[in-house]
Amino acid sequence: MSVPDHPETASGTEESGRKIPPASLARLPIYLRALNAMLADSVERVSSEELAEAAGVKSAMLRKDLSYLGSFGTRGVGYDVQFVSQKISALLGLSQEWRVAIVGAGNLGRALARYSGFASRGFEVVAVFDADERIVGTRIGWLTVSNADNLEFELERTQTNMAVLAVPAAVAQQLCDRLVAAGVTSILSFAPVVLQVPPHVQVRKVDMGTELQILAYHAQRAQETESGSRARSAQ
Amino acid sequence: MSVPDHPETASGTEESGRKIPPASLARLPIYLRALNAMLADSVERVSSEELAEAAGVKSAMLRKDLSYLGSFGTRGVGYDVQFVSQKISALLGLSQEWRVAIVGAGNLGRALARYSGFASRGFEVVAVFDADERIVGTRIGWLTVSNADNLEFELERTQTNMAVLAVPAAVAQQLCDRLVAAGVTSILSFAPVVLQVPPHVQVRKVDMGTELQILAYHAQRAQETESGSRARSAQ
DNA sequence: CATTGTGAATGGGTTCACAGCG
DNA sequence: CGCTGTGAACCCATTCACAATG
C-alpha cells in the first residue's frame, strides 16, 4: 500500500515513452510479485540471476525485459528491490485504484467477488451484476448484487473502469457489447467464447476448458510413450 | 477406468506422430469449440475463412494450424465440420475421460467443483480436497470434500490423472510437490506463484491478478493519450 | 474455379556472448 | 571483478502469395 510516487526522476532514464513488447509486458506482473515477496522479507538487493530464478525465466530475458522500462540496476551489484518494484507498479498503472465490476454472479462470479486478492493489488470490486431475480439483491460480502437491467446506470454511478465477465457463453457477447457501449474498455472474460470488440477495447481471456485440453494433449502423449506402466513414481 | 480407444483410424492421413507447435496447440481448443457450435447448428461444411472468423484468427493461420494434424479438407470446398472436430478431439486426447481432483475448496475451488463445463468436455471431477476441518466433510454437489491429509490415498483410490490447484499462494508449492510425488503429471494452477516442478510434469497457470494488471497497463496508456476527457462514450 | 496446403518472406521473441561500467 | 545492458544470432510464429487440386 501507500504507493509513493517515484521520488527521484530526471535520472536520464525516463523510458516510459517506449512501448513494451507484449510478451515482455505479460511477465512484468510475475516479476512484481517476486519482488514484493522479497520486499516482505526485507531483501534489499537482487541480481538478475536470483530474480529470474524466482520468476522461472532465464536471467538474460529478465534483464532485457527490465531494460524496456529503463536502465536501473547497478553493474557488479544488481537491482534495488524496492525501486524496481515501484517502477513496474507505476508502469502497470497500479498507482491508481481500478474500479472493477463483476458481471455474472453464478458460482464463479461470486467466488471472484469474494476473492481478497483483488483488493490487495489495487483492484476494488465496486459492483456485481446478475440477471437471475433470485440472485439480484442478495449480498456478497459488503456488496449487493445489482440487476443486470441497470448495468449502464450502475457502471456510471460506480465509476467502473474495468469489467470481469463471468456469464454463460450464450450471453457473453451480448453483455460484452453493453459494457463496451457503456464505455468500458478493459474486459477480463471467463466465458468460453471469442468476443468481438472494437479495436480500442482490450479483452483478456481466461479459459479453464482450453487449459485442461492443452494439458490433456501432453498427458496423452506421455501415456503413449511410456505406455503400460503408469507413473506410480511415489518414492 | 474405461479409457476407450478412438474407433476410426487408418484414414490415410495419420499425422499424429508430428509434434504440434505450442502456439498452434493452444488454438486447437478454440477451433474445436467453434466447430462443435457449428455441429450443434447442423452445419456440415466450413471454409477456412469462416472458421477463422469464428475463432478470431486469420484464415492462413487456421489452415497452417490444421495442416499440422494432417491434410483433410477439400480444395475448392472447405472442411467437413464433424470430421475436423473429431480429429482435434482425438489429438487433444478428449476421447478418454480425464479424472480431475480439485485441491482447495475455498471460494474458487468450490466454484470450480460445481462448474458444469468440466463434465461436458470430458473432464470429470472425482475428488475435492481441503485442509480446513470446517470444510472437510461438507458436500459440493455429489462430492464430499476430503481431508488434504489423505491426498495421496484418495488420488490413488480415485485414479486421478489431473489436478487443479486452487489454494492460497503460501501453500501452493508444497501441495504441488505432494501431487507430483503421488504421480500427477498435469496440473492447472490458480495460485499466484511460480511453481517449481520436474520437467516431466506439465503445469498451466491461470492468473487473474496478472491479467488485470496487463489490462491496467493498457487502460492507463489509453487514459494518458486521450487525457482529460474520460470515455463517457455512452451511445 | 474456389479453396486448400505450403514454400518463402517477414516479424517477434529468446538466447548468446561480451562490451561497458560501477 | 561481477553483473548489467545490449547487439547479433537464432529460433519460432505469423503472414503472404501462389501452385496444387478436388
Side-chain angles (χ1 to χ4, degrees):
Chain A
M1 53 240 75
S2 74
V3 190
D5 51 349
H6 26 181
E8 51 76 63
T9 20
S11 209
T13 48
E14 270 307 298
E15 308 274 349
S16 308
R18 311 281 175 284
K19 74 175 207 295
I20 316 284
S24 200
L25 173 61
R27 285 186 293 268
L28 294 181
I30 314 288
Y31 302 151
L32 182 58
R33 266 206 319 251
L35 288 164
N36 287 346
M38 289 171 181
L39 261 189
D41 285 353
S42 306
V43 177
E44 288 180 5
R45 273 184 274 121
V46 68
S47 69
S48 64
E49 200 62 61
E50 292 164 329
L51 184 49
E53 158 84 14
V57 301
K58 290 258 168 73
S59 66
M61 193 179 205
L62 172 82
R63 292 198 301 276
K64 184 147 288 203
D65 284 343
L66 292 187
S67 78
Y68 292 121
L69 19 162
S71 136
F72 21 91
T74 312
R75 291 170 200 241
V77 176
Y79 299 92
D80 180 292
V81 174
Q82 170 146 18
F83 185 73
V84 177
S85 166
Q86 282 173 2
K87 275 293 188 190
I88 296 179
S89 286
L91 185 100
L92 293 176
L94 305 184
S95 25
Q96 69 182 275
E97 267 281 304
W98 293 96
R99 306 174 64 78
V100 179
I102 295 178
V103 181
N107 292 326
L108 182 59
R110 287 199 302 274
L112 295 176
R114 277 192 282 254
Y115 178 53
S116 57
F118 273 137
S120 71
R121 291 173 206 277
F123 297 91
E124 188 188 356
V125 178
V126 295
V128 182
F129 296 95
D130 206 282
D132 185 333
E133 61 182 21
R134 289 167 303 181
I135 293 178
V136 171
T138 60
R139 317 201 86 220
I140 302 175
W142 51 89
L143 285 164
T144 301
V145 177
S146 303
N147 193 317
D149 290 344
N150 305 329
L151 187 75
E152 291 77 5
F153 176 79
E154 288 290 324
L155 290 176
E156 178 68 33
R157 189 179 70 76
T158 54
Q159 289 288 300
T160 290
N161 47 20
M162 229 174 241
V164 174
L165 256 190
V167 300
V171 296
Q173 181 64 58
Q174 148 195 344
L175 281 160
C176 175
D177 291 345
R178 285 176 66 188
L179 288 170
V180 170
V184 174
T185 56
S186 302
I187 299 173
L188 176 57
S189 172
F190 286 82
V193 283
V194 176
L195 295 174
Q196 307 290 340
V197 295
H200 70 283
V201 175
Q202 291 288 327
V203 175
R204 309 257 335 158
K205 234 179 38 177
V206 162
D207 188 336
M208 282 171 295
T210 296
E211 299 300 328
L212 286 175
Q213 290 177 1
I214 295 169
L215 284 172
Y217 169 79
H218 293 296
Q220 185 191 228
R221 302 207 107 212
Q223 274 180 4
E224 280 165 12
T225 41
E226 49 141 299
S227 66
S229 67
R230 189 187 167 286
R232 198 60 28 82
S233 67
Q235 33 77 285
Chain B
M1 34 205 78
S2 71
V3 192
D5 50 351
H6 25 182
E8 54 79 53
T9 22
S11 208
T13 46
E14 271 308 297
E15 307 273 351
S16 308
R18 310 283 174 283
K19 75 174 206 298
I20 316 283
S24 199
L25 173 61
R27 285 185 294 267
L28 294 181
I30 314 288
Y31 303 152
L32 183 58
R33 267 207 319 251
L35 287 164
N36 287 345
M38 289 172 182
L39 261 189
D41 285 353
S42 306
V43 176
E44 288 181 5
R45 273 183 274 121
V46 67
S47 69
S48 63
E49 201 61 62
E50 293 165 328
L51 184 50
E53 158 84 14
V57 301
K58 291 256 167 74
S59 66
M61 192 179 207
L62 172 84
R63 292 199 299 276
K64 185 147 287 205
D65 284 343
L66 291 187
S67 79
Y68 291 122
L69 18 163
S71 138
F72 21 90
T74 311
R75 291 171 200 239
V77 176
Y79 299 92
D80 181 292
V81 175
Q82 169 145 19
F83 186 72
V84 177
S85 166
Q86 281 173 2
K87 274 293 188 189
I88 296 179
S89 285
L91 185 100
L92 293 176
L94 305 184
S95 27
Q96 70 181 276
E97 266 282 303
W98 293 96
R99 306 174 65 78
V100 179
I102 295 177
V103 181
N107 292 326
L108 183 59
R110 287 200 301 275
L112 295 177
R114 276 193 281 255
Y115 178 52
S116 56
F118 273 136
S120 71
R121 292 172 207 278
F123 297 91
E124 189 187 356
V125 178
V126 295
V128 182
F129 297 95
D130 204 283
D132 185 334
E133 60 181 21
R134 288 167 302 181
I135 293 178
V136 170
T138 60
R139 318 202 85 220
I140 302 176
W142 52 89
L143 285 164
T144 301
V145 177
S146 302
N147 193 317
D149 290 343
N150 305 329
L151 187 75
E152 292 77 5
F153 176 79
E154 288 291 323
L155 289 177
E156 177 67 34
R157 190 179 67 78
T158 55
Q159 290 289 299
T160 289
N161 47 19
M162 229 175 240
V164 174
L165 257 189
V167 300
V171 295
Q173 181 65 58
Q174 149 195 343
L175 281 160
C176 175
D177 291 344
R178 285 177 67 189
L179 288 170
V180 170
V184 174
T185 56
S186 302
I187 299 173
L188 176 57
S189 173
F190 286 82
V193 284
V194 176
L195 295 173
Q196 308 289 342
V197 294
H200 69 282
V201 176
Q202 291 288 327
V203 175
R204 309 255 338 156
K205 234 180 35 178
V206 163
D207 187 337
M208 282 170 297
T210 295
E211 298 301 327
L212 285 175
Q213 289 176 2
I214 295 170
L215 284 172
Y217 169 79
H218 292 296
Q220 185 191 228
R221 300 208 108 213
Q223 273 179 5
E224 279 165 10
T225 40
E226 47 141 299
S227 67
S229 67
R230 190 194 164 282
R232 200 58 31 79
S233 68
Q235 37 80 281

